[in-house]
Amino acid sequence: MEKSDISSPSLYTYRFRAMNTEVEVTLFGGKEDTAKLAELARSWFRSTEERFSRFRPDSELSHLNRLAGECCLVSNPMLEVLLLARSYADLTGGIFNPLILPALKGAGYDESFEKIGEQPLRQAKLPGNGPFAREGLSVDPVMKSLRLPPCAGMDLGGIVKSWAVKRLAAWFRSRWRVTRGCINAGGDLAVWGGADSADAWRIGIEHPWREQEETGLLLLAEGAAATSSKLGRRWNTNRGPMHHLIDPRTNLPSTGSVVQCTVAGPDAVECEIWAKVLCILELEEGYALFTRKTVGCEALVFTGDSRACFYGPRESLGRRWRGIRPDVFVRTGKGRETADWRGSL
């Protein structure tokens, strides 16, 4: 930080819109210094959107999608995200799949969501199983190259948003020595240092069915969280209601019983991926995969019949997750427990 800022250190919050979502940056420091960092944050999210947006014809992502089937050189940021995407596709058995763009377009999500909301009825042309769902990313980290399967298309929106949060938080901590902060991009967030020296950050958990209401609190001094939902990004089509969470096994919007999921853990990208995966899978499939493949992560899942299910250590309820009374408790780790607790929804 520059030494010219003599204002008393405090928490300052800045808000702006980027990547089609609301971004909130809260940093501890002097007023002038944090304002400068907020401008750097705005610039970072703007440049990330310019590179990774599928809605910008001049973005690097759009360029790669147009050249599907050919070998293309990629930038360092793109390579980093592609390798992350490939690793999580492998880890989740393909449930997380960045090659779902044709399915999203087929469901009517072929424009940015703010434009979709202006149209009462979209035209859906639902695809069947295709090569874009069965083949993976062919990434060469040495050559810094990518070859997409022919006719494939990538959508990296979710993973890029959490990656941008993670990278920015790490940069503020290492380069600018920001000791406390919270970066929240549309529910994908990273926190560090606590809201003060003795208190964790208090993160409201969005109520699945009551707009502008919270169903509980998540307390985090250090770590990350992400929420995914089928209830927000929805639109009407000639084939019925659609949402953006595609099940790659069918190339259709998921019809599973889970409608919203919040995951807390050490890494923002990991939280975002698992929140999405748990929303796509059925309840039993999801917790089996989640408990087998994650370490240090906890999840709060809501189903369409208003059940709340918690995956994590029992002691986290009331200590880390406040105001949550799940119907089903699933212990992560060596054993599992269930409890017939009637939730408050």
Side-chain angles (χ1 to χ4, degrees):
M1 288 285 185
E2 297 179 6
K3 301 299 183 182
S4 58
D5 190 351
I6 59 174
S7 59
S8 299
S10 186
L11 285 174
Y12 294 94
T13 298
Y14 305 88
R15 297 177 180 88
F16 54 89
R17 191 163 180 83
M19 303 180 72
N20 202 29
T21 194
E22 297 298 324
V23 179
E24 183 176 283
V25 177
T26 301
L27 303 171
F28 180 77
K31 186 174 184 180
E32 291 183 10
D33 287 339
T34 56
K36 292 175 183 176
L37 293 181
E39 282 304 309
L40 292 176
R42 189 190 303 268
S43 176
W44 165 248
F45 277 99
R46 182 173 59 247
S47 64
T48 300
E49 183 175 11
E50 289 171 353
R51 183 184 303 277
F52 290 98
S53 173
R54 69 177 173 97
F55 303 115
R56 292 174 176 260
D58 58 345
S59 72
E60 183 178 0
L61 181 73
S62 294
H63 172 74
L64 295 172
N65 282 337
R66 285 192 295 269
L67 296 177
E70 301 181 24
C71 186
C72 304
L73 297 180
V74 299
S75 65
N76 286 333
M78 180 63 73
L79 178 64
E80 184 176 335
V81 172
L82 291 174
L83 291 174
L84 274 173
R86 188 175 67 177
S87 68
Y88 279 110
D90 291 342
L91 184 68
T92 62
I95 300 302
F96 168 73
N97 190 330
L99 300 179
I100 56 167
L101 182 56
L104 284 170
K105 289 182 174 180
Y109 194 3
D110 53 2
E111 296 182 283
S112 63
F113 192 73
E114 55 198 15
K115 293 182 179 179
I116 287 179
E118 298 170 356
Q119 302 178 31
L121 190 68
R122 307 283 296 175
Q123 293 298 308
K125 300 176 182 178
L126 301 177
N129 285 331
F132 54 86
R134 293 196 300 264
E135 297 181 35
L137 296 172
S138 179
V139 186
D140 187 333
V142 177
M143 293 297 296
K144 296 184 181 179
S145 67
L146 166 73
R147 182 188 177 277
L148 293 177
C151 303
M154 292 187 295
D155 178 85
L156 297 172
I159 191 172
V160 163
K161 186 153 56 77
S162 57
W163 171 81
V165 166
K166 175 183 175 179
R167 288 294 304 270
L168 184 62
W171 188 59
F172 279 167
R173 299 181 73 175
S174 62
R175 172 66 176 83
W176 296 101
R177 301 292 189 266
V178 179
T179 57
R180 303 209 300 269
C182 173
I183 301 172
N184 185 347
D188 291 358
L189 60 91
V191 300
W192 67 98
D196 61 42
S197 57
D199 195 14
W201 295 95
R202 301 169 70 86
I203 301 158
I205 302 171
E206 182 180 355
H207 198 290
W209 298 281
R210 298 175 191 166
E211 199 169 340
Q212 307 301 322
E213 285 191 31
E214 296 174 352
T215 189
L217 289 174
L218 172 62
L219 273 58
L220 283 179
E222 191 94 11
T227 296
S228 190
S229 174
K230 297 175 182 174
L231 303 175
R233 297 204 169 189
R234 298 179 68 89
W235 57 93
N236 292 318
T237 76
N238 59 316
R239 300 288 189 91
M242 300 287 171
H243 60 79
H244 70 297
L245 294 177
I246 300 294
D247 186 336
R249 298 168 299 184
T250 62
N251 289 331
L252 300 173
S254 168
T255 58
S257 60
V258 176
V259 297
Q260 180 176 302
C261 176
T262 296
V263 175
D267 184 275
V269 175
E270 181 180 32
C271 291
E272 196 279 333
I273 296 297
W274 283 107
K276 183 179 270 82
V277 166
L278 291 175
C279 274
I280 292 172
L281 294 174
E282 280 292 354
L283 197 63
E284 294 77 9
E285 290 180 285
Y287 79 65
L289 187 64
F290 182 77
T291 56
R292 192 168 68 247
K293 296 290 187 176
T294 64
V295 177
C297 289
E298 300 168 358
L300 180 65
V301 174
F302 297 97
T303 60
D305 59 357
S306 299
R307 284 191 300 164
C309 307
F310 179 71
Y311 307 161
R314 186 185 294 276
E315 56 269 22
S316 284
L317 291 172
R319 177 177 59 84
R320 197 179 193 188
W321 303 78
R322 298 281 179 88
I324 305 297
R325 295 181 60 238
D327 303 279
V328 178
F329 169 82
V330 180
R331 181 183 179 89
T332 59
K334 294 182 179 179
R336 295 177 187 158
E337 301 175 45
T338 60
D340 187 20
W341 298 347
R342 185 61 243 167
S344 58
L345 294 178

